[in-house]
Amino acid sequence: MYKIVRKEVLNPSVSLIEVEAPYIARKAEPGQFIILRVDEKGERIPFTIADYDRDKGTVTVIFQIVGKSTESLNELGEGDSLQDMVGPLGVASNFEGVKKVAVIGGGLGTAIAYPQAKKLHSMGVSVDMINGFRNKDLIIIEDLCKAACTNLYTMTDDGSNGNQGFVTAKLEELINSGEKYDLVVAIGPLVMMKAVCDLTRKYDIKTIVSMNPIMIDGTGMCGGCRITVGGETKFACVDGPDFDGHLVDFDSAIARSRMFKNQEAESRERAHKCRLEGMNNA
Amino acid sequence: MPNMSLEKVPMPEQEPNVRNKNFKEVTLGYTEEMAVEEAQRCLNCKHKPCMQGCPVMVKIPEFIALVAEGKFEEAYKKIQETSSLPAVCGRVCPQENQCEKFCVRGIKGEPVAIGRLERFVADWYMENCKSVSEKPESNGKKVAVVGAGPSGLTCAGDLAKLGYKVTVFEAFHTPGGVLVYGIPEFRLPKDIVAAEVNKLKELGVEVMTNMVIGKVLSVEELLNEEGYDAVFIGTGAGLPSFMKIEGESLNGVYSANEFLTRINLMKAYKFPEYDTPVYVGKNVVVVGGGNVAMDAARSAKRLGAENVYIVYRRSEEEMPARLEEVHHAKEEGIEFKLLNNPVKINGDENGWVDSVTCIKMELGEPDKSGRRRPVPVEGSEFDLDADVVVVAIGQTPNPLIKNTTPDLETNRYGCIVAKEETGETSKTGVYAGGDVVTGAATVILAMGAGKTAAASIDEYLSQRKK
Ligand SMILES: Cc1cc2nc3c(=O)[nH]c(=O)nc-3n(C[C@H](O)[C@H](O)[C@H](O)COP(=O)(O)OP(=O)(O)OC[C@H]3O[C@@H](n4cnc5c(N)ncnc54)[C@H](O)[C@@H]3O)c2cc1C
Ligand SMILES: Cc1cc2nc3c(=O)[nH]c(=O)nc-3n(C[C@H](O)[C@H](O)[C@H](O)COP(=O)(O)OP(=O)(O)OC[C@H]3O[C@@H](n4cnc5c(N)ncnc54)[C@H](O)[C@@H]3O)c2cc1C
Ligand code: SF4
Ligand code: SF4
Ligand code: FES
Ligand SMILES: [Mg+2]
């Protein structure tokens, strides 16, 4: 089980894997996520379900290499198997009654936003997708996104793809040019989601964000993923991961995402050292 | 001639200052000689008073008599007639409130060490009798068990022995429930739990991990689409409670579930060999007075914390933890701040815990539970330095199954309503037992509930026309 049937390198730090997980594929919906373990000593790492194929019984995740566990994951190739995968977890996105939506992806957040855009698009909703990256080499899944929306705007911080600017600037430009969105979906780094929410609050547009706090079980039993929404404590794994962005306490979420910063660095360093020593011994 | 010593034969254990730095088992168990000597303290009372204290009626005098004769294998079979997890229960039962509480030897002196003897017998059997269980003949009926804790595992084992095809669906990647994610290695080695699970597999039980029922499949689907004739729900009480005081979202504040899951299930005590981190810091405040609080405090100490405090709002007398755990915790250097209650967690400028403000309590009039109610002493607030706070004030059932099984009756605490004598719920063909029914309780009660449900599932399915 959990065999990797396809792997693609999307950019130097982002890969896609399609994994055999028939039970999960049967039930998965956009907005939900899985938790996987690479091996017996591995962490439980959550990833959004980027796509699923009910007939083939597969689930696709797109992941960014940021630390020890995602590095280990990236060492696996087609034909290798994961130790564990559990899901689908979290609440599926609910888009009833919306007509025109702006879906915003920041960096890797694009991959998390993609299934939502795809679902909205398939429901006949008008979707403007605005994706932002630091530079043109980091752009991922542009073709997939193009097929999942009405208009795609791909922005780069440094303008290297010919479209310079932050996603917030583009969104404001579209709003000012008369586009009337009844919903904004913003997915990306916490600071980006916070900036989008500050903007849409000004224009009074309902905004949904996807919260990705540190998780373990993903079923509501540890409380580690708790965030503050509208003054109440919520568990992102069971109450979310989507929340009303105007109610989310981003500052506390940003602090909590750094809870294990030192240990994460230690874990990664050790992995690198082991790899070097392994090479020396060879 | 019985051994008239007033004291139990002591059980060897690691020195407190050695063991509070490792995760190896604290107590080392009896040798054969010690077990026989202790067994000889039993008077083989005709009225078997000890048995009334055991929730599953282990035939205590009979198994102890066999131990005294050196017939350890027979002793094991005797225990097994009514209990499924003796290696576990011998270690974790609150014996002082159960079997040993009623032992006549306890009137003057210490009671017979029933728990230690039970553990000895189970360990001896596991080491010396590598009997392979025979797969019973199939009766063609399928039962789904949800949750691989003591209740689910027991129910699965009993049904498998009767010929049912049993599949256990477990949300986590390892079966065992609290026995693997909550109770630490130094109290209950995980090999013991794994051995119990393997015995079930030999009986033909299929254990499917990574299956969250209510998400990947619903109870309804198990019955109507997956072809199970009955379902047992033993999903425990895994939802952590917080104190709802200021500062609980600061970095460094954990629920006991998170803290212990990181350490036990994910083996953060072997970090960085294992990938999952845990942060412990120098000063740790654990809030609560039960087994969960003791486990969290003793784990923190082992991970290098200098000062570990148990903050509990009542007095030692009311502490629900097993006597042995409190005793061991004290020996290991855990400081007890009794009759104190946290009112606020204070943070530093980076969002990390800095200290906990507590208020002193005094005991007032008895409340409904008969325990004297703690009341705050006005103006007695003080600050306790803390890098980490572990909240161990209780758990309730996870609402996942309740929310996805509309016709399953639950009470106002979210516990599934099930008949005590049978485990039957409001939904035909669905049975439940363990913590999900009673709220957080004990291993032996969960095991007993699993047994009861297995018997009534068998009765229900034997009577039902195919
Ligand atoms: C619901 C959800 C969906 C996610 N979807 C995706 C996705 O589709 N693609 C993707 O690349 N990433 C996704 N993530 C983030 C991903 O889980 C982390 O990047 C990954 O766990 C980092 O592990 P690491 O050991 O490689 O890095 P580390 O060095 O351990 O951590 C790097 C950073 O990742 C975060 N992180 C660490 N551990 C966890 C954890 N257990 N749970 C959540 N975050 C953690 C922390 O903010 C940390 O600072 C998602 C997270 C959540 C909660
Ligand atoms: C830290 C700690 C220490 C303890 N110490 C003691 C002690 O010393 N002595 C004692 O007698 N008792 C002790 N207890 C209590 C005892 O462990 C429990 O009463 C007992 O484990 C309950 O058993 P159970 O089978 O009902 O549930 P659990 O052991 O909780 O097992 C439930 C299982 O169901 C799984 N599950 C939950 N939801 C789902 C779902 N939707 N789908 C699939 N699977 C699911 C869970 O992952 C878990 O594996 C302790 C508890 C804790 C937390
Ligand atoms: S199962 Fe528990 S209560 Fe019963 S005899 Fe054994 S230790 Fe005592
Ligand atoms: S009460 Fe004590 S002495 Fe009497 S039979 Fe039970 S264990 Fe033995
Ligand atoms: S990840 Fe444990 S409660 Fe959400
Ligand atoms: Mg990591």
Side-chain angles (χ1 to χ4, degrees):
Chain A
M1 271 242 275
Y2 317 125
K3 190 162 100 182
I4 299 173
V5 296
R6 181 167 67 100
K7 176 169 180 180
E8 276 177 41
V9 175
L10 302 181
N11 78 28
S13 69
V14 178
S15 297
L16 170 155
I17 50 171
E18 184 178 344
V19 182
E20 267 175 14
Y23 284 101
I24 305 174
R26 251 161 57 185
K27 280 289 174 70
E29 294 288 344
Q32 291 188 293
F33 64 97
I34 54 91
I35 289 184
L36 63 80
R37 283 203 315 156
V38 175
D39 54 41
E40 197 43 57
K41 294 182 178 178
E43 284 183 282
R44 293 172 63 95
I45 32 178
F47 294 112
T48 305
I49 298 171
D51 219 335
Y52 49 82
D53 187 326
R54 301 216 200 281
D55 299 328
K56 263 168 82 188
T58 59
V59 166
T60 299
V61 302
I62 297 178
F63 64 95
Q64 181 159 32
I65 299 143
V66 293
K68 162 70 173 61
S69 298
T70 43
E71 270 174 17
S72 308
L73 178 60
N74 198 42
E75 277 164 21
L76 301 185
E78 283 175 14
D80 292 336
S81 288
L82 302 171
Q83 180 81 26
D84 297 291
M85 185 186 277
V86 58
L89 303 170
V91 182
S93 308
N94 178 6
F95 296 125
E96 254 164 63
V98 293
K99 293 193 183 62
K100 189 172 175 67
V101 179
V103 177
I104 303 178
L108 175 91
T110 308
I112 307 179
Y114 160 69
Q116 314 235 15
K118 186 175 158 188
K119 173 164 179 182
L120 284 160
H121 193 58
S122 74
M123 286 163 61
V125 174
S126 164
V127 179
D128 285 353
M129 195 166 189
I130 310 170
N131 293 335
F133 302 90
R134 283 207 312 280
N135 63 56
K136 73 173 191 330
D137 297 331
L138 299 177
I139 295 174
I140 52 167
I141 59 169
E142 203 171 13
D143 292 341
L144 287 177
C145 290
K146 202 171 274 168
C149 64
T150 322
N151 300 299
L152 176 67
Y153 306 93
T154 306
M155 313 300 294
T156 46
D157 296 358
D158 67 354
S160 51
N161 75 335
N163 268 334
Q164 201 266 324
F166 288 140
V167 288
T168 37
K170 187 71 203 177
L171 176 64
E172 187 154 31
E173 183 192 315
L174 289 167
I175 294 171
N176 287 333
S177 73
E179 301 286 0
K180 291 252 176 297
Y181 300 112
D182 40 24
L183 180 71
V184 169
V185 177
I187 303 179
L190 288 164
V191 280
M192 179 217 107
M193 294 194 287
K194 186 178 184 210
V196 171
C197 289
D198 287 342
L199 176 72
T200 55
R201 193 177 284 118
K202 216 165 69 187
Y203 294 97
D204 199 20
I205 309 171
K206 184 175 164 122
T207 302
I208 288 176
V209 295
S210 180
M211 298 301 287
N212 293 346
I214 294 172
M215 293 186 178
I216 302 188
D217 56 294
T219 63
M221 71 77 71
C222 78
C225 65
R226 61 196 184 279
I227 57 171
T228 309
V229 183
E232 274 181 57
T233 298
K234 297 278 178 192
F235 291 179
C237 68
V238 285
D239 300 322
D242 292 355
F243 290 97
D244 181 339
H246 292 159
L247 299 178
V248 168
D249 178 346
F250 281 102
D251 295 336
S252 151
I254 289 168
R256 283 189 68 78
S257 74
R258 302 199 182 114
M259 167 101 187
F260 297 103
K261 214 162 168 242
N262 296 340
Q263 286 89 342
E264 283 157 6
E266 183 187 344
S267 176
R268 192 173 191 181
E269 238 162 65
R270 182 190 132 103
H272 290 181
K273 220 175 109 212
C274 289
R275 222 162 289 152
L276 279 178
E277 279 167 4
M279 269 161 29
N280 287 344
N281 292 341
Chain B
M1 179 57 197
N3 168 356
M4 289 316 289
S5 161
L6 291 184
E7 276 159 30
K8 293 177 178 176
V9 173
M11 177 159 56
E13 52 188 40
Q14 288 192 67
E15 285 299 318
N17 271 321
V18 174
R19 69 178 191 243
N20 67 10
K21 294 172 194 71
N22 69 50
F23 273 78
K24 289 191 217 118
E25 196 171 13
V26 167
T27 54
L28 306 172
Y30 281 160
T31 60
E32 292 185 10
E33 295 71 32
M34 293 173 188
V36 171
E37 189 188 338
E38 178 64 23
Q40 285 166 347
R41 292 185 64 227
C42 173
L43 304 175
N44 216 330
C45 311
K46 217 157 112 213
H47 302 296
K48 307 171 181 171
C50 46
M51 273 180 67
Q52 63 172 290
C54 172
V56 300
M57 301 285 271
V58 166
K59 295 176 179 158
I60 297 168
E62 292 165 60
F63 101 74
I64 294 185
L66 289 164
V67 174
E69 290 171 44
K71 294 182 177 159
F72 307 134
E73 189 171 348
E74 286 86 343
Y76 181 81
K77 301 244 154 85
K78 189 53 75 186
I79 297 172
Q80 223 192 5
E81 285 174 24
T82 58
S83 171
S84 310
L85 304 166
V88 176
C89 295
R91 285 175 167 81
V92 306
C93 265
Q95 286 96 6
E96 70 274 13
N97 295 325
Q98 299 183 350
C99 50
E100 295 182 16
K101 179 176 175 179
F102 296 92
C103 173
V104 295
R105 293 298 308 263
I107 299 169
K108 191 165 169 260
E110 288 186 331
V112 175
I114 303 171
R116 293 177 186 177
L117 288 171
E118 185 172 321
R119 165 190 168 162
F120 163 80
V121 169
D123 288 357
W124 186 93
Y125 185 84
M126 219 177 295
E127 201 171 307
N128 295 287
C129 305
K130 295 268 176 279
S131 74
V132 188
S133 328
E134 294 250 332
K135 234 187 232 182
E137 203 175 315
S138 164
N139 67 12
K141 291 180 194 135
K142 277 172 56 171
V143 179
V145 168
V146 185
S151 67
L153 293 175
T154 304
C155 185
D158 280 14
L159 287 168
K161 284 177 201 151
L162 293 167
Y164 290 90
K165 171 90 196 74
V166 184
T167 309
V168 179
F169 295 93
E170 167 55 46
F172 266 130
H173 54 261
T174 308
V178 170
L179 309 184
V180 295
Y181 80 70
I183 303 181
E185 178 78 18
F186 58 81
R187 234 171 22 97
L188 178 64
K190 301 309 150 218
D191 286 352
I192 292 175
V193 185
E196 294 296 344
V197 174
N198 279 336
K199 271 196 228 157
L200 291 187
K201 289 184 179 162
E202 279 170 20
L203 286 170
V205 173
E206 185 188 7
V207 180
M208 287 185 75
T209 50
N210 298 321
M211 296 293 274
V212 182
I213 302 304
K215 283 291 180 186
V216 74
L217 287 169
S218 64
V219 171
E220 202 67 49
E221 285 167 327
L222 290 173
L223 288 168
N224 299 329
E225 286 168 31
E226 302 292 316
Y228 290 97
D229 299 294
V231 176
F232 174 77
I233 303 174
T235 46
L239 193 75
S241 307
F242 285 93
M243 298 179 284
K244 297 198 160 66
I245 61 174
E246 198 183 319
E248 270 186 311
S249 62
L250 289 166
N251 279 357
V253 182
Y254 300 92
S255 73
N257 272 0
E258 178 180 3
F259 192 65
L260 291 169
T261 299
R262 284 182 180 274
I263 294 168
N264 300 320
L265 180 72
M266 305 311 298
K267 305 225 181 312
Y269 67 91
K270 295 187 184 166
F271 180 87
E273 182 197 343
Y274 282 71
D275 293 339
T276 304
V278 67
Y279 173 77
V280 171
K282 206 172 117 188
N283 299 308
V284 177
V285 169
V286 178
V287 185
N291 289 319
V292 186
M294 299 304 136
D295 285 343
R298 296 171 71 198
S299 297
K301 190 79 188 178
R302 281 163 171 74
L303 289 166
E306 282 171 30
N307 303 301
V308 183
Y309 306 102
I310 293 264
V311 173
Y312 180 55
R313 63 199 181 109
R314 301 180 194 250
S315 70
E316 181 157 350
E317 219 169 287
E318 287 89 8
M319 274 202 314
R322 290 179 78 220
L323 216 55
E324 188 183 24
E325 310 313 327
V326 178
H327 174 71
H328 279 153
K330 283 185 182 163
E331 283 183 345
E332 288 166 14
I334 310 298
E335 285 177 59
F336 286 70
K337 299 265 176 200
L338 302 170
L339 285 165
N340 279 300
N341 204 26
V343 288
K344 185 153 88 61
I345 305 173
N346 310 299
D348 65 15
E349 60 285 358
N350 300 315
W352 279 87
V353 174
D354 206 24
S355 67
V356 180
T357 304
C358 299
I359 189 163
K360 294 211 161 83
M361 310 290 279
E362 57 191 10
L363 292 179
E365 294 299 305
D367 63 12
K368 267 180 253 151
S369 72
R371 297 188 297 183
R372 291 175 65 195
R373 204 168 58 88
V375 281
V377 179
E378 221 173 298
S380 66
E381 287 91 345
F382 66 102
D383 283 358
L384 208 53
D385 279 350
D387 308 298
V388 156
V389 177
V390 182
V391 184
I393 57 166
Q395 290 110 244
T396 53
N398 189 312
L400 202 52
I401 293 209
K402 173 185 102 175
N403 292 346
T404 51
T405 319
D407 40 359
L408 191 65
E409 198 191 325
T410 52
N411 68 17
R412 65 197 167 106
Y413 305 105
C415 300
I416 297 179
V417 177
K419 284 193 195 141
E420 202 181 327
E421 325 77 66
T422 60
E424 280 170 280
T425 68
S426 59
K427 192 172 166 64
T428 310
V430 178
Y431 296 74
D435 282 4
V436 74
V437 171
T438 56
T442 60
V443 172
I444 188 73
L445 283 172
M447 198 198 83
K451 277 194 143 340
T452 304
S456 50
I457 288 172
D458 179 45
E459 197 178 300
Y460 162 69
L461 292 180
S462 310
Q463 280 168 7
R464 203 178 65 162
K465 298 229 169 58
K466 282 213 103 176

